[in-house]
Amino acid sequence: MLQKIKGNYNVRQQVKAFIKEADRMVNAYGWQNRVTYPYSYPMKITGIIEELKDYDSYTAGSKAHLISLANGLADILNAWEEHHVL
């Protein structure tokens, strides 16, 4: 289960843990080609995870936006896993 990234404390560690668990879920369930629609157009979930891997290279505002996007993805992936949507 993915934990949301919260607060300013140990954010880098939270991001790393998020990436690790998200990658595990994607590989375990074969979701490599799945998409979500956070902006009314499709985004591959693997693309969102890849963006997170470059977290340290973003500006503060972009980091906040990326965390928001990741937290929304956490809700989706957790629901898929809970309901075993394959």
Side-chain angles (χ1 to χ4, degrees):
M1 173 177 254
L2 273 171
Q3 300 298 314
K4 290 189 176 189
I5 301 166
K6 298 181 180 178
N8 293 325
Y9 183 70
N10 291 327
V11 174
R12 285 187 183 122
Q13 290 176 338
Q14 291 180 65
V15 168
K16 287 179 185 180
F18 184 99
I19 292 166
K20 183 177 178 181
E21 179 62 5
D23 278 340
R24 181 202 65 80
M25 293 170 83
V26 167
N27 291 324
Y29 295 103
W31 294 337
Q32 292 83 356
N33 294 315
R34 288 234 164 172
V35 297
T36 62
Y37 292 79
Y39 307 112
S40 299
Y41 60 86
M43 289 184 72
K44 286 183 74 171
I45 60 174
T46 54
I48 297 169
I49 296 166
E50 286 301 314
E51 283 187 50
L52 272 173
K53 291 178 181 178
D54 292 329
Y55 177 80
D56 287 332
S57 67
Y58 287 93
T59 63
S62 293
K63 286 178 180 179
H65 175 76
L66 191 56
I67 288 171
S68 177
L69 186 60
N71 285 339
L73 182 61
D75 290 335
I76 292 166
L77 294 183
N78 287 336
W80 287 354
E81 184 174 53
E82 179 181 344
H83 298 287
H84 303 286
V85 176
L86 300 174

